[in-house]
Amino acid sequence: MHCHRHQSVRFMGKADLHQLQNLLHHRRPDATAEKFHFRNLLLGEHDVPLTCIEQIVTVNDHKRKQKVLGPNQKLKFNPTELIIYCKDFRIVRFRFDESGPESAKKVCLAIAHYSQPTDLQLLFAFEYVGKKYHNSANKVNGVPTGGGGGAGGGGSQKTPLFETYSDWDREIKRTGAAGWRVCSINEGYMVSTCLPEYFVVPSSLADQDLKTFSHSFVGRRMPLWCWSHANGSALVRMALIKDALQQRKVDQRVCNAITKSHPQRSDVYKSDLDKTLPNIQEIQAAFVKLKQLCVNEPFEETEEKWLSSLESARWLEYVRTFLKHSAELVYTLESKRISVVLQEEEGRDLSCVVASLVQVMLDPHFRTIPGFQSLIQKEWVMAGYQFLDRCNHLKRSEKESPLFLLFLDATWQLLQQHPAAFEFSETYLAVLGDSTRISLFGTFLFNSPHQRVKQSTEFAISKNIQLGDEKGLKFPSVWDWSLQFTAKDRTLFHNPLYIGRSMPRVQNGSVKPFKRTKVKAHLVLAHTPRNISLRTQHIESEAPSADDTASAGFEDPVLSRGLDRSLLFLLGTEAREALGSVESQRITAVTWEVPFLKPIHSASCSFWNQPAQIFF
Amino acid sequence: MASAPNSKYNTRSLENESFKRASRDGVNRDLGEAVPRLPGETRITDKEVIYICPFNGPIKGRVYITNYRLYLRSLEMDSAPILDVPLGVISRIEKMGGATSRGENSYGLDITCKDMRNLRFALKQEGHSRRDMFEILTRYAFPLAHSLPIFAFLNEERFNMDGWMVYNPVEEYRRQGLPNHHWRITFINKCYELCDTYPALLVVPFRATDEDLKRVATFRSRNRIPVLSWIHPENKTVIVRCSQPLVGMSGKRNKDDEKYLDVIRETNRQISKLTIYDARPNVNAVANKATGGGYESDDAYHNTELFFLDIHNIHVMRESLKKVKDIVYPNVEESHWLSSLESTHWLEHIKLVLTGAIQVADKVSSGKSSVLVHCSDGWDRTAQLTSLAMLMLDSFYRSIEGFEILVQKEWISFGHKFASRIGHGDKNHADADRSPIFLQFIDCVWQMSKQFPTAFEFNERFLITILDHLYSCRFGTFLYNCESARERQKVTERTVSLWSLINSNKDTFRNPFYTKEINRVLYPVASMRHLELWVNYYIRWNPRIKQQPNPVEQRYMELLALRDEYIKRLEELQLTNSAKLSDSSTSPSSPSQMLPHVQTHF
């Protein structure tokens, strides 16, 4: 179970930026023959990003001593062993049998030091992006391709980041949401530091009203529009109204405005998430239990009572609670045609999960790769989900809670239950989860968009970086998957069972709202659990290994010949290679649209065991 | 869940689909009756009833009973049938309520099925209205008790393919490279005189004479002597199956049996010890001594190593599956699903069977030792272990026809007692001989197909179809306990084989992700972390779990069509390349050189 290597650690100096020095290398000597073709361009198979480290324990066998290394701590003994507990359930152990006692100590202290920075600006992403700016200072237009975010898994569509007015405007048009408008009162974060600069509000509320009302809300987080159903009912999220005197009045005005924005003027259904869902501490506790269960030794002991232990960890129960509650709101929006307001104290934790799940279930667009990514931008990154604290990048937060992982798990459950409804695969979800622990991308690094701007501006000033008109540094985006994977590997993000493609249709130059053809109301629900996961793994192992031309990205010899690379597994290994020279026209797949998804039974809520498959 | 659109369509049984397919093959569809019939199927009666659907509530309808099926149509709407159940699926029919029972729908029939569901019908309380329905159902669901033939003997379906031709033992052994210098084919059991539950044709060590075999037979339970199931094509180690030795309380020994096992070991010179896997838990093996059985002791069998695999007996498995039904039908246990599932021990049993098979496969694949497998009689756990190990070792058995041959060989010909375990046409629902051993095997295969989604030519539907017809009695494939009985009844002449249906509609059962790999041994992970309940089978009657039409099946068909198209392009490529090749035949990296291999892939 453990990576137990009798080998000294290779640890690279902090200055060695090109080699991504924040990664810990401990390659197996025999790792030359790469069995699996699927690999991360930034990380080797056994590399651990420093932000992925959870705890560092040093051991001395002879003295029988053991010490957890916090930041800036002294080590009074010479370690014979180093154990690194990772956030992704890995446990990495090193023996220092061959290295001198002093260097062993130095390595341990260095890892402890760099993996537990005292300040946000000491995270690797800052140094990385700073260096990029310096390197490109001499070039024209040399600014790194920042936020934008490139092709999702081989697709050509850009992911809207919702940093601009126009992204929100397009989303309003895409969903056909009449009665809603983009509001700019938070430009320059003048109203709230935890809201995005642009968001969408009921058209009937004037800027001045919003400014006045905002004082009544926790964190000035006034009602934010998430999404509108084609029937006109809207999904809205907001914080609690803290001002007891104003509460009724403000509440009334807000609800009236949302009602006015509904074509049928229907009532508003308010869902108090704090009362209906587990809180973030409970979720964290469940996750800790789950982790203990998964890394526990001896294996046989946990094996015997695996299912009941899994149940008592309560993680799956919570995943199901979120799915169930979201499904109820789907019913309210879809069948009752009533607008839904998600209410939560700060409106930036449970709301993120529920708002996203409801949209994944209702809108096929969010089951595509670009759509799913835009959803995460919209409901998590821009909505001020506190990634820094919840992911605990600085390792000293008491506010750690894996809500984003919970969302990915819930999405995975939906994918298991509706294998034909998602453009992306299990591999994509797993890789996305891993990416939250790589402190190179700006996407999952901050508590709010404002924090990114503020911190990176400070950093830029201290490092003498000219920002020009830019609002803060442009960190690389997770959505630029080419930074992590070759075009060929990105084909594994695609789910071969996917039958629904309902991208926004561009007609006469304008984007039409997506079409919502219902094939039949109860058409799509199926349950073929786990089909995709293992398949992708096997495709990995079957993928031809010598084809490096594809790594260049654009020059994919197969794509250029009109064959869908993600479907090439249909042919055998050798046939796939032979296909390199097949001439043909593009295959147009038969496409269906999938109406809405419902999570089903507890019997269908299964354990996402992919991490276990990798590490056990 | 509030948003569930409860549709009548959802309760349709799978049987329906085979119906629609069959109707293309010439089912009589009498429009007046609105009941589709197979050739040879006759209508017996029909009656107005209320079907008490556990998911959608009571539905008024008309039930039609034929000599093959029970068929229910709603009175209210002109829709698809609500039920279409082969009578063979029925294990028990009970009357519920009496003529004076109060309460709505309290008087009627409660039918327990072998496929994880119950059917309840309410009838009018006046005039013993359920009596004739009860009697007719009992008569045709349990024909053996009424001296009626099982439907398979009346079925007049015709298919393009003849499933009875699929398995030819001589051909199958030839495929394995047998006979060879060490193994011979014997016809000693031609008239089933050596062992009445074994097939006519057996493969035994070359050095063992027929006289030896007869003497060994006296020391093996029900004369089921050790015979070859599979031989490794390269290292020549073998899987041998048999029943337990008749050691008894006194610890009897038999020199012939001891010598015979040594002869088996010696068929491979590199091997110093023969590995014996006794499928049972150690205590059960010991307990069997009381009834004359036992296991191979160290002191009697010198060059052997014995391991117990801890797999429980048929009774434990039956009770375990019963518990699974309790938590999934009609309602899925919601609040403590995982611990309830754990307490059924079903997955634990699956795990032990798979673990045992993995050990057998690993031993043989490593070339370290030949393996002898037995349990008590060698027709339940032994069949599970040998067939699963063979599935892991030999990719041939992972094709559709290969799997049919595997079932035909290790289960049907070697006397898994299908008639007793399933109780075809038999009314004794509480018979202690019944047990879901074959279902458990199919579940293990499904677990493997989940873990190796590209390794099997067949899809989930193939496995479910096999299980449906395990009970349906439409085909002769699973009838009777052994080959000799089947031969006496002339099953192959008088009935249709299930493989005829499947092989005539192969595309429906194909897995689009299949990639043929010749020498790959599959070792599934038999850990609770990876085993899961086969929801699509065990909970398929619940409309929230299984919805129709299934978009995955639709997508499968699209992918298969795409694959055909890709293959066509490859062939075009082959043509252009061979044209090029004639121009310049020197290019070493020409793809056409790969094409001969490529073709073997399809």
Side-chain angles (χ1 to χ4, degrees), chain B residues 422-440:
Chain B
I422 308 301
H424 292 127
D426 177 57
K427 67 176 187 339
N428 302 315
H429 61 88
D431 190 340
D433 253 358
R434 293 200 187 173
S435 187
I437 300 301
F438 187 73
L439 164 63
Q440 195 172 49

Side-chain angles (χ1 to χ4, degrees), chain A residues 302-303 307-308 311 320 496 523 525 527 529 531 534-535 563 569 574 584 587 592 600-601 609 613, chain B residues 334 336 338-339 342 351 450 453 513 527-530 536 544 547 549 554-556 566 569 597:
Chain A
T302 52
E303 180 75 2
L307 291 173
S308 47
E311 180 176 286
R320 199 161 76 87
L523 180 75
L525 310 176
H527 177 86
N531 215 352
L534 290 140
R535 189 204 51 73
L563 293 172
F569 62 86
E574 293 134 43
S584 68
I587 294 168
W592 295 16
I600 330 179
H601 268 282
N609 65 1
Q613 272 165 6
Chain B
E334 285 281 351
H336 293 284
L338 292 173
S339 45
E342 186 175 274
K351 174 181 161 166
K450 292 314 269 182
F513 303 128
S527 149
M528 291 309 290
R529 288 157 166 76
H530 296 266
N536 279 0
R544 291 187 185 166
Q547 304 266 334
Q554 163 73 19
R555 182 63 179 156
Y556 272 18
Y566 280 29
R569 287 200 193 148
H597 303 285

Side-chain angles (χ1 to χ4, degrees), chain A residues 129-144 465:
Chain A
V129 78
K131 197 85 173 180
K132 278 235 167 185
Y133 272 84
H134 277 299
N135 290 347
S136 60
N138 308 330
K139 301 173 200 159
V140 188
N141 295 333
V143 183
I465 297 166

Side-chain angles (χ1 to χ4, degrees), chain A residues 408-429:
Chain A
L408 295 182
D409 195 330
T411 308
W412 180 85
Q413 305 287 351
L414 288 169
L415 172 61
Q416 298 314 296
Q417 295 177 22
H418 308 279
F422 290 84
E423 186 186 23
F424 48 83
S425 62
E426 176 184 48
T427 305
Y428 171 81
L429 288 174

Side-chain angles (χ1 to χ4, degrees), chain A residues 541-590:
Chain A
S541 62
E542 287 156 16
S545 52
D547 191 0
D548 280 330
T549 50
S551 328
F554 295 102
E555 293 298 317
D556 187 322
V558 174
L559 278 177
S560 67
R561 283 180 168 81
L563 293 172
D564 189 343
R565 185 175 262 290
S566 63
L567 294 176
L568 284 189
F569 62 86
L570 290 171
L571 301 166
T573 315
E574 293 134 43
R576 247 177 281 144
E577 290 183 6
L579 258 175
S581 51
V582 172
E583 300 285 343
S584 68
Q585 71 274 49
R586 181 164 285 277
I587 294 168
T588 39
V590 184

